[in-house]
Amino acid sequence: MSKKIPFSVTLEVRDACLCLHVQRAARALAKRFDDALRPTGLTNGQFSLLMSLNRPEPPGMASVARLLAMDRTTLTAALKPLERDGLVRVEVDPADRRSRRLVLTGPGHAALARALPIWRATHATIEADLGGRSADDLRASLAALS
C-alpha cells in the first residue's frame, strides 16, 4: 500500500512549481494573443511561425523548429494550414535536395503586416500589466530556462 501524500504538499507544489506557473502564464498569454489576433485569421502560434520565416533568405525546417522549440513533426503539422492558405510555400533546398526551405509568400507577408500592429498593441498592454516589473528581466529569466 502506498503512503498518501498530505494535502500540504499539494499546496507546496501549487505555490512553488515553476513549471506549473510558466504553463499557466503561457496559456493565459496565448489566449490573449489568440483573442487579439482573431480578426486577422491567425492564431498566436501561426503569427510566431510566420514571423520566424520573415528572414532575408528562406530558412530550413530545422532552424525554424529550433527557434520555435518544436519537433519537426509538430512544425510540419503547423505548416499545413498556412501552406493550404497560400501564406507559406515549402520548397526543396537547392543546396541539399533532401532538405526543405520555408518561403513566406506575398500573402504571408500581407498577413504579417495586418497582424503586426495588433501584436504590438497587445504586447504593450501585457508589458504594462506587469506592474512595474521588468519585461526584460522576465525574458532573460525565461531564456535562462530554455
Side-chain angles (χ1 to χ4, degrees):
M1 178 189 251
S2 64
K3 183 178 175 192
K4 200 170 178 183
I5 298 172
F7 182 62
S8 61
V9 173
T10 300
L11 298 177
E12 172 194 355
V13 171
R14 178 201 67 192
D15 295 343
C17 182
L18 291 173
C19 187
L20 173 62
H21 287 276
V22 169
Q23 286 173 338
R24 288 180 63 186
R27 287 183 186 110
L29 287 172
K31 182 178 181 339
R32 285 180 75 173
F33 278 103
D34 280 344
D35 290 346
L37 292 169
R38 188 165 289 114
T40 70
L42 297 175
T43 66
N44 78 84
Q46 291 171 328
F47 174 82
S48 295
L49 176 49
L50 291 175
M51 191 58 74
S52 76
L53 304 182
N54 187 43
R55 305 180 191 190
E57 295 297 322
M61 290 200 49
S63 70
V64 172
R66 268 192 311 278
L67 174 69
L68 298 175
M70 293 182 168
D71 59 53
R72 288 177 60 112
T73 302
T74 303
L75 176 58
T76 298
L79 286 166
K80 293 285 186 212
L82 298 173
E83 194 175 9
R84 180 193 64 231
D85 293 344
L87 305 178
V88 172
R89 207 171 48 249
V90 180
E91 296 182 348
V92 173
D93 184 343
D96 179 357
R97 302 214 36 92
R98 296 168 298 165
S99 298
R100 300 290 176 262
R101 295 274 170 193
L102 305 176
V103 179
L104 186 60
T105 65
H109 282 283
L112 274 180
R114 285 189 307 276
L116 185 57
I118 296 167
W119 176 88
R120 283 185 170 143
T122 305
H123 202 272
T125 300
I126 290 168
E127 285 200 17
D129 288 349
L130 290 174
R133 292 179 194 90
S134 168
D136 288 335
D137 288 347
L138 177 57
R139 279 187 283 274
S141 295
L142 292 171
L145 295 174
S146 62

